[in-house]
Amino acid sequence: MTFKALVAGTALALMTGLGCSPARAEGQVNAAYAVYLKGFHVLNAQASYQLQPWGYGGSTQIKPAGLISWFVTMDVTSRVEGKFTPDGSVQPVLFDSGGISRGKHRHVRLEFSNDTPKVTDLQPPETDREPIPDSSLPHTVDTLSGMARLLHSLVTTGKCDGSQIVFDGIRLSEMVVYGPTVADIPQGQDEAYSGQALRCDFIGRQLAGFVKDSPNRAKLAAPQPGAVWFKKIDGLGAVPVRIEFNHPKLGRVMVVMQHAVAP
């Protein structure tokens, strides 16, 4: 698996990418996360997010950490904008992600109209992947908008049950989420928070956009479980403090909050 794919998986599992653009805004949260793979600290993620009753927006920056940074050059920034509908669904407007990954400058931009994403830029082209039919794209959302819907549902209804088809520009995936349950936050990676939290469990699986003739297709298409822990923090509200998910090739990935503040 490439680091670009790990970044995408982290964003999908996670809420780390829900943020707003203004330097200061009511309800905004700035957070830092560390990503661990097989116990090793491999990535750092800086995120700023804000959810309002009418909508959401945000940005993240992900870079390698620890020994990995000696061998891997990566600096990926993503941002998202969207609205909430009266029934609590999300209506994305824009998803943009770009930077240095796998030794090249890469960029993907999705613009949404009539609940359908359009890839307005994809550099370099992913010609080694099976094309996704246009008929599969209506009512899909980008990775970060899918997580915005989850957090919005948890805050407004106290539940995180639901499903969503997610499109990141090259892959189509399904996320099914259920819960929450009250559970202790696992410890072991220098977590900033401990004690009880609300845990939402999820299962993700890739549906389309596979690499042509990939020997790992069956693994990538298999359901992969994960969980996210939300803790209510004074002055910030419910914040995702830990995410765990299983990747079919890499194994268990953990995303751990280091700190979170209101600007």
Side-chain angles (χ1 to χ4, degrees), residues 51 71 100 121 132 151 253:
L51 274 68
F71 309 102
I100 300 174
D121 191 35
I132 298 175
L151 185 52
V253 178

Side-chain angles (χ1 to χ4, degrees), residues 1 5-6 9 37 220 224-225 245-253:
M1 177 185 177
L6 177 57
L37 176 62
L220 294 171
Q224 304 297 330
F245 63 98
N246 203 55
H247 188 274
K249 293 171 63 179
L250 292 178
R252 203 66 173 171
V253 178

Side-chain angles (χ1 to χ4, degrees), residues 9 29 31 41 78 80 84 94 99 104 110 112 131 158 165 196 198 216 222 224-226 238 243:
V29 176
H41 183 187
S78 304
V80 64
F84 293 117
L94 171 71
K104 294 182 179 180
L110 304 180
F112 291 78
I165 304 298
Q196 289 190 332
L198 293 178
N216 299 303
Q224 304 297 330
I243 303 153

Side-chain angles (χ1 to χ4, degrees), residues 18-263:
L18 308 179
C20 64
S21 302
R24 294 183 61 88
E26 182 181 357
Q28 184 178 335
V29 176
N30 294 334
Y33 294 83
V35 181
Y36 293 86
L37 176 62
K38 296 181 179 179
F40 292 98
H41 183 187
V42 295
L43 297 174
N44 286 325
Q46 299 290 330
S48 175
Y49 71 82
Q50 182 187 38
L51 274 68
Q52 296 288 356
W54 50 267
Y56 58 95
S59 62
T60 57
Q61 184 179 31
I62 301 179
K63 295 182 177 182
L67 292 176
I68 293 295
S69 63
W70 295 5
F71 309 102
V72 175
T73 300
M74 181 177 63
D75 189 345
V76 179
T77 298
S78 304
R79 65 186 182 96
V80 64
E81 299 173 11
K83 304 175 183 178
F84 293 117
T85 63
D87 66 357
S89 297
V90 290
Q91 192 174 72
V93 174
L94 171 71
F95 172 79
D96 189 279
S97 181
I100 300 174
S101 176
R102 288 184 285 160
K104 294 182 179 180
H105 286 273
R106 301 179 184 273
H107 181 243
V108 59
R109 182 180 178 91
L110 304 180
E111 297 181 5
F112 291 78
S113 178
N114 298 320
D115 285 335
T116 302
K118 179 180 180 181
V119 180
T120 58
D121 191 35
L122 180 60
Q123 299 295 334
E126 298 272 350
T127 56
D128 62 337
R129 291 184 179 272
E130 298 173 358
I132 298 175
D134 290 342
S135 59
S136 299
L137 297 182
H139 311 299
T140 63
V141 303
D142 62 88
T143 54
L144 304 185
S145 293
M147 295 305 104
R149 179 183 181 184
L150 172 58
L151 185 52
H152 182 66
S153 176
L154 184 65
V155 170
T156 57
T157 70
K159 299 180 180 180
C160 49
D161 295 309
S163 63
Q164 186 73 66
I165 304 298
V166 177
F167 178 57
D168 67 359
I170 57 175
R171 287 173 290 260
L172 198 69
S173 303
E174 179 186 44
M175 293 292 293
V176 180
V177 190
Y178 50 96
T181 57
V182 177
D184 287 334
I185 302 169
Q187 301 293 293
Q189 277 77 36
D190 297 324
E191 287 80 2
Y193 299 96
S194 60
Q196 289 190 332
L198 293 178
R199 188 186 76 197
C200 294
D201 295 286
F202 60 85
I203 295 192
R205 64 188 182 100
Q206 186 174 341
L207 302 176
F210 296 97
V211 173
K212 297 174 183 176
D213 301 319
S214 171
N216 299 303
R217 183 186 181 111
K219 290 183 179 180
L220 294 171
Q224 304 297 330
V228 54
W229 285 258
F230 293 92
K231 189 172 182 66
K232 189 173 182 180
I233 300 174
D234 290 343
L236 301 179
V239 177
V241 296
R242 184 184 179 96
I243 303 153
E244 293 186 12
F245 63 98
N246 203 55
H247 188 274
K249 293 171 63 179
L250 292 178
R252 203 66 173 171
V253 178
M254 291 174 287
V255 184
V256 178
M257 176 181 281
Q258 303 297 290
H259 62 81
V261 296

